[in-house]
Amino acid sequence: MNESIQLQLEKAPNRKAYLSTIALILLALLVWSVYGVNLSGFDQRGTQIASNIIRGIINPDLDFLFNLTSAGVPYLLFETMAIAFLGTIFGSFLAIPISFLMSPSVVSAPVAYVTRLIVIFIRTIPSLVYGLMFIRVSGPGPYAGVLTMSLTSIGMISRLYVDVIENLDRGVLEAMTSMGCTTFEKIRYGILPQLFSSFLSTTIYRYDMNLRDASILGLVGAGGIGAPLIFAMNSYRWSEVGSILIGLVVLILIVELFSNRLRSRLVKG
Amino acid sequence: MKLTWYDKVFKPKTYTLSNGKEVKQRASRTPIVLVVVLLVTIISFEVTGVDLSLLRTRGHQFFVILLAMFPPNADFFSSIWGPLFDTIQMSLLGSILGAVLAIPLALLSSSNIIRNVFINGLFKFFLSVLRTLPTIVMALIATFLFGLGTMAGTVAIFLFTLSYIGKLMYEHIENVDMGAFEAHESMGLTKVEAFRYAIVPEILPTYLSVSLYAFEGNIRHASILGYVGAGGVGLLLDERLSWRDYPSVGMVLLTLMLVVFVIERISEYFRMKLT
Amino acid sequence: MIEFKQVNKTYPNGVTALKNINLSIEQGEFVAIIGLSGAGKSTLIRCINRMHDINDGELNVNGVNVSKLRGKQIRAFRRKVGMIFQSFNLVTRTSVLNNVLISAVPDLAWWRKLLGLFPEQHKVDALEALDKVGILDKAYNRVDQLSGGQQQRVALARTLAQNPDIILADEPVASLDPVTAKVVMDDFKRINKETNMSILLNIHHVELALEYADRVVGIRKGEIVFDGKATDVTQKELDMIYGSPENVPSMDDPEEADV
Ligand SMILES: Nc1ncnc2c1ncn2[C@@H]1O[C@H](COP(=O)(O)OP(=O)(O)OP(=O)(O)O)[C@@H](O)[C@H]1O
Ligand SMILES: [Mg+2]
């Protein structure tokens, strides 16, 4: 065997120990969590309820599903959409300054770090807790939902905005400097056009998620379709549950389809 | 240039160059988009009854509960760590199971792996529908089926993780360059071998990174599942909030923040190494 | 020895890519295949290792009728035929050495395949192959950190480690700069001389083809219109293969311009 080949063979990085350690830790964690979760099988009533749920979804309460008054599914969905919409708009506006404060390429590293820390903490408080706090401000209802959504969507939106800001194409700015543009011109024609469509795309993406999350808020009385859904479930009115779930699933699928279209249009310009 | 309905309403502008060539510029879509957004905003204001002046007059009420949490009740910590471990265990088990089962579903959804449009469509649709169901609703249903407790929470997290990773992975798999796969087939490898050596190395880092990210998020999700009786630290939050024992709530949130922070750090460290 | 006898190939969508191909290539020949885009060069090459099936005629490689092979036999046969691609087709997110080791995969035990472990002897073979193309020092780099020329040499090493009788190369230098292209072509030439492997390569760069190949095959619209020594090719032959300039579709062509 050639000497240089022998040499190269010995240089092989050995990651077996490292990888097996990680695998072992993972396995230990898995075992630990299996022991921790009390793995119960189906409750005795479980099968009964499962069949009730399926029956309810197959035979939804059609009156409720197509009832156009403010007590019907369409209006509730509409209200949920409105909550998510305003929550997203407010959240994305609030996220703009925060995201700049989080970008290490805009502000100094310590400032960016502290802002990030604060945002992580804001994000960790469950939305239901915020819901309770905001109900003190606005009283129960969709308004509290909007305020909650605005706050909870900041975390993720600003994190995505930061990625956009960090990935700005600096070549354009260089080119503009070489053309003799002022700072204002560089921001207006070099930075904003790049940021705008990416920010918009992020916002639309978040709307999707907010629509999904908006159904949680009903739990604390902050409006939307969540309250009637959970109420119907707790009182075993499965055909009503079926109507709401069908409405929700169809709505979210449609919105997702639209938002994907819109976002790919935005990317292509 | 293809004309859409929009161009027929708002005629494109035509410029004539000095050499006689004509260039058409489409009318900008910005104004109409702005009008639509404005309209939707106004309608949403009406529907939700948002009244911004209320923020000025009653905004301070938001901080009432927040301030009442200080100083957090440190003695309460001894009752926190049990449910907290429940939450972590629920997320861990749900995430691992979800991540593992997501692999076959993602493969069945990928048109470049399973060449059957019907099967691909079916599984893609299944994953999409699963994704539309809010975690808390799944948790509630699970409590009906499995009784109150951590099992219900684990099932909810499992289903959420499954749909999340499944969708991201099939999108990623469909974008993998099949060149190496082809090359391996040309070297006499079976399809399974070619998959193992050409596709797996390309998708494994992304898969691990997405799974870690999902786990990270699941800890946060898991903390509210207790609200519907699906076990974990949310149960405690719900209880203390309804007793208005805000210092204890503050302690729970503080602990949760620290745990989430530490887990995020660890997960971020490994995700950085993966890319 | 590769032998085409009256071979025809029509794709499922109705395009006839090869018409009445008769061609015979001896062991150890260095053949360049030239022709316009869409002439059928890739199709010709890919029929040889059964990446595509032929419709009629007979195609023999080293005395084996390729069309008759089934499943396992095809794979065993392909191990004796190496293939190089224009876009390298390497696994980019793993190391150079791991890519070269793929050539040993079919011989491994199942548990080794699962865990991705290779016996030492295979590693030595792979490193030797890397040494032959001069990138031994890059063995543990990730493929996506290499330049195009280096990547093509990794692909070449992967093929060499397979120890084939024949190397098929589909535009191996089309994505490389002129200097690197020459370096890679030199590698091909050297391997051809040292190991007596037959080399068939598709190439758009006529000068390179004439400089390196011993024999040139010209294809036009699925038919062989020229087959002879590289030294015999003159402008007249090239016009015959490529057609005179006025027949070449240009950007003014309404169909082409529509995209
Ligand atoms: N998989 C396929 N299915 C259907 N038709 C194909 C397929 N591959 C190639 N063809 C058609 O067969 C003909 C020959 O294609 P081939 O790829 O062999 O050309 P080529 O000479 O390699 O061209 P290029 O120099 O552009 O690579 C073309 O008309 C092409 O459109
Ligand atoms: Mg080709």
Side-chain angles (χ1 to χ4, degrees):
Chain A
M1 193 182 351
N2 185 319
E3 207 172 300
S4 57
I5 287 175
Q6 181 67 46
L7 216 69
Q8 197 64 337
L9 193 62
E10 279 156 13
K11 268 199 245 160
N14 193 349
R15 311 202 325 142
K16 277 186 203 124
Y18 176 71
L19 289 179
S20 29
T21 315
I22 289 184
L24 219 65
I25 293 175
L26 259 181
L27 199 69
L29 283 174
L30 181 63
V31 171
W32 176 63
S33 52
V34 169
Y35 274 107
V37 174
N38 42 5
L39 295 161
S40 52
F42 263 31
D43 217 39
Q44 308 102 9
R45 303 168 309 143
T47 16
Q48 177 63 35
I49 290 177
S51 73
N52 282 346
I53 294 176
I54 293 169
R55 219 172 301 145
I57 292 174
I58 296 173
N59 307 306
D61 184 343
L62 291 179
D63 285 343
F64 184 40
L65 188 54
F66 297 109
N67 177 353
L68 292 180
T69 67
S70 65
V73 172
Y75 182 81
L76 288 170
L77 287 176
F78 184 58
E79 188 184 86
T80 312
M81 282 174 81
I83 294 176
F85 183 79
L86 281 188
T88 313
I89 296 253
F90 292 155
S92 52
F93 273 115
L94 290 172
I96 293 176
I98 293 178
S99 62
F100 277 101
L101 285 177
M102 273 166 81
S103 302
S105 58
V106 179
V107 294
S108 67
V111 175
Y113 190 76
V114 169
T115 325
R116 272 188 57 169
L117 214 61
I118 295 173
V119 169
I120 288 180
F121 285 166
I122 292 180
R123 239 152 71 97
T124 310
I125 298 184
S127 52
L128 295 181
V129 177
Y130 286 128
L132 286 177
M133 294 179 182
F134 278 122
I135 283 176
R136 292 186 72 97
V137 177
S138 61
Y143 187 6
V146 170
L147 293 175
T148 309
M149 287 260 99
S150 315
L151 202 58
T152 48
S153 33
I154 289 178
M156 182 189 166
I157 297 183
S158 53
R159 211 165 131 165
L160 292 173
Y161 281 4
V162 170
D163 289 343
V164 177
I165 296 173
E166 293 295 307
N167 291 328
L168 266 184
D169 180 3
R170 271 151 236 280
V172 178
L173 298 185
E174 218 174 308
M176 292 185 77
T177 315
S178 78
M179 289 159 75
C181 295
T182 64
T183 306
F184 169 75
E185 288 161 350
K186 281 194 275 188
I187 293 177
R188 168 66 185 82
Y189 292 99
I191 297 183
L192 286 188
Q194 285 190 51
L195 290 186
F196 183 71
S197 61
S198 310
F199 276 16
L200 202 58
S201 165
T202 304
T203 310
I204 294 172
Y205 175 66
R206 181 66 213 193
Y207 178 67
D208 249 44
M209 300 185 61
N210 274 351
L211 196 56
R212 225 160 290 175
D213 291 350
S215 46
I216 296 178
L217 297 173
L219 220 55
V220 290
I225 202 159
L229 174 59
I230 283 158
F231 194 57
M233 278 190 181
N234 281 333
S235 47
Y236 302 112
R237 293 202 300 273
W238 296 115
S239 54
E240 259 177 51
V241 174
S243 316
I244 295 180
L245 283 183
I246 290 173
L248 197 62
V249 167
V250 170
L251 176 75
I252 293 178
L253 285 180
I254 292 174
V255 168
E256 196 177 274
L257 202 71
F258 264 97
S259 88
N260 283 346
R261 285 261 178 88
L262 236 109
R263 291 198 299 135
S264 67
R265 279 273 290 275
L266 268 177
V267 172
K268 283 187 221 130
Chain B
M1 187 161 84
K2 222 175 77 198
L3 290 179
T4 59
W5 61 270
Y6 187 87
D7 298 306
K8 287 179 188 134
V9 182
F10 301 94
K11 295 266 181 269
K13 209 170 172 178
T14 308
Y15 300 95
T16 311
L17 305 186
S18 54
N19 62 5
K21 279 193 183 164
E22 286 195 345
V23 179
K24 283 185 177 173
Q25 184 188 24
R26 280 199 176 126
S28 165
R29 276 155 169 71
T30 316
I32 196 157
V33 170
L34 280 181
V35 169
V36 169
V37 170
L38 204 68
L39 224 67
V40 176
T41 311
I42 293 171
I43 294 173
S44 303
F45 264 94
E46 283 300 314
V47 172
T48 54
V50 168
D51 171 10
L52 291 181
S53 67
L54 213 59
L55 273 186
R56 201 157 15 89
T57 52
R58 295 188 52 83
H60 58 272
Q61 288 286 334
F62 173 75
F63 298 98
V64 170
I65 294 181
L66 201 61
L67 290 176
M69 290 180 193
F70 288 96
N73 176 6
D75 296 337
F76 193 59
F77 185 74
S78 55
S79 352
I80 293 178
W81 63 266
L84 187 67
F85 279 169
D86 280 350
T87 298
I88 297 176
Q89 285 168 324
M90 265 160 50
S91 331
L92 203 61
L93 188 58
S95 305
I96 294 179
L97 293 181
V100 170
L101 201 73
I103 300 172
L105 287 191
L107 292 179
L108 286 165
S109 306
S110 305
S111 53
N112 53 345
I113 305 293
I114 306 293
R115 298 190 179 278
N116 182 325
V117 189
F118 176 72
I119 292 183
N120 300 152
L122 190 73
F123 281 94
K124 277 181 188 167
F125 183 71
F126 171 72
L127 287 175
S128 294
V129 170
L130 200 59
R131 247 164 61 88
T132 60
L133 293 176
T135 323
I136 199 119
V137 174
M138 293 201 264
L140 189 55
I141 294 180
T143 58
F144 286 129
L145 302 183
F146 302 99
L148 298 177
T150 40
M151 177 74 187
T154 310
V155 170
I157 290 175
F158 160 71
L159 290 176
F160 170 76
T161 313
L162 179 66
S163 65
Y164 178 77
I165 300 183
K167 181 165 181 334
L168 283 180
M169 282 323 288
Y170 83 66
E171 283 174 353
H172 185 69
I173 295 173
E174 287 193 332
N175 284 323
V176 164
D177 177 17
M178 295 298 279
F181 184 85
E182 189 190 11
H184 293 183
E185 274 202 294
S186 85
M187 293 164 71
L189 273 66
T190 62
K191 278 190 193 303
V192 176
E193 285 166 352
F195 175 82
R196 159 69 184 82
Y197 286 96
I199 313 281
V200 170
E202 297 285 355
I203 61 178
L204 193 63
T206 311
Y207 171 72
L208 292 177
S209 155
V210 165
S211 302
L212 273 173
Y213 188 73
F215 170 64
E216 217 177 292
N218 281 344
I219 294 260
R220 229 178 272 128
H221 277 285
S223 62
I224 50 173
L225 295 183
Y227 263 87
V228 293
V233 82
L235 216 57
L236 212 58
L237 264 183
D238 188 28
E239 180 193 285
R240 293 291 135 177
L241 278 169
S242 56
W243 291 0
R244 309 201 172 203
D245 178 5
Y246 294 125
S248 301
V249 172
M251 193 61 209
V252 174
L253 291 180
L254 193 69
T255 321
L256 203 58
M257 279 173 184
L258 287 179
V259 170
V260 169
F261 181 73
V262 170
I263 289 179
E264 266 194 17
R265 291 281 97 181
I266 298 175
S267 144
E268 213 163 272
Y269 168 78
F270 282 106
R271 282 193 287 125
M272 287 284 270
K273 286 191 83 163
L274 282 169
T275 47
Chain C
M1 164 142 140
I2 304 167
E3 224 178 351
F4 284 78
K5 287 187 198 154
Q6 296 291 340
V7 169
N8 282 296
K9 159 83 189 162
T10 305
Y11 281 107
N13 63 1
V15 176
T16 301
L18 296 177
K19 274 180 249 164
N20 281 334
I21 299 289
N22 284 299
L23 183 68
S24 148
I25 293 165
E26 298 297 328
Q27 185 61 40
E29 277 194 86
F30 193 134
V31 186
I33 300 165
I34 58 175
L36 285 175
S37 266
K41 304 183 297 293
S42 301
T43 311
L44 181 84
I45 270 197
R46 281 158 179 266
C47 286
I48 296 176
N49 63 349
R50 268 293 285 280
M51 296 296 274
H52 290 325
D53 291 322
I54 58 174
N55 297 82
D56 4 88
E58 203 180 311
L59 173 53
N60 293 314
V61 177
N62 292 341
V64 180
N65 185 336
V66 174
S67 319
K68 294 250 156 64
L69 298 175
R70 293 286 163 264
K72 226 180 168 144
Q73 297 168 323
I74 297 182
R75 292 198 295 274
F77 163 72
R78 281 181 181 162
R79 297 191 47 65
K80 289 303 215 182
V81 185
M83 190 164 209
I84 306 270
F85 303 81
Q86 173 180 348
S87 47
F88 323 135
N89 291 6
L90 297 167
V91 186
T92 50
R93 287 174 94 163
T94 186
S95 71
V96 166
L97 183 62
N98 276 341
N99 268 283
V100 180
L101 280 168
I102 307 279
S103 54
V105 164
D107 304 331
L108 296 180
W110 65 269
W111 59 272
R112 281 190 182 276
K113 289 179 192 167
L114 199 68
L115 296 175
L117 299 173
F118 292 89
E120 171 131 345
Q121 186 53 46
H122 287 174
K123 286 189 191 164
V124 174
D125 293 345
L127 287 170
E128 266 165 9
L130 281 172
D131 198 22
K132 272 184 209 148
V133 294
I135 45 171
L136 183 59
D137 55 323
K138 300 279 186 230
Y140 303 109
N141 287 39
R142 248 172 70 152
V143 169
D144 47 15
Q145 295 165 351
L146 301 187
S147 72
Q150 289 167 333
Q151 290 194 23
Q152 193 58 295
R153 283 147 94 185
V154 176
L156 192 54
R158 178 174 69 181
T159 300
L160 288 180
Q162 212 180 317
N163 199 17
D165 300 328
I166 302 166
I167 294 181
L168 308 171
D170 196 352
E171 292 173 28
V173 295
S175 341
L176 306 178
D177 67 80
V179 178
T180 317
K182 274 194 175 263
V183 177
V184 171
M185 289 301 282
D186 280 330
D187 286 338
F188 275 111
K189 188 80 193 170
R190 190 161 39 76
I191 287 154
N192 174 247
K193 287 271 146 341
E194 284 173 5
T195 62
N196 200 36
M197 288 177 194
S198 311
I199 293 184
L200 267 78
L201 52 85
N202 287 347
I203 187 162
H204 278 303
H205 201 298
V206 177
E207 277 155 46
L208 281 182
L210 299 186
E211 184 181 338
Y212 284 95
D214 304 321
R215 178 174 166 192
V216 170
V217 172
I219 297 193
R220 184 169 183 187
K221 293 189 182 148
E223 290 175 288
I224 295 184
V225 291
F226 175 84
D227 182 357
K229 285 216 192 79
T231 43
D232 292 347
V233 178
T234 63
Q235 191 57 44
K236 191 172 125 265
E237 278 75 33
L238 290 179
D239 283 348
M240 188 168 68
I241 297 166
Y242 286 105
S244 36
E246 52 265 29
N247 295 338
V248 178
S250 74
M251 284 311 280
D252 294 334
D253 195 316
E255 258 179 52
E256 293 267 314
D258 201 36
V259 280

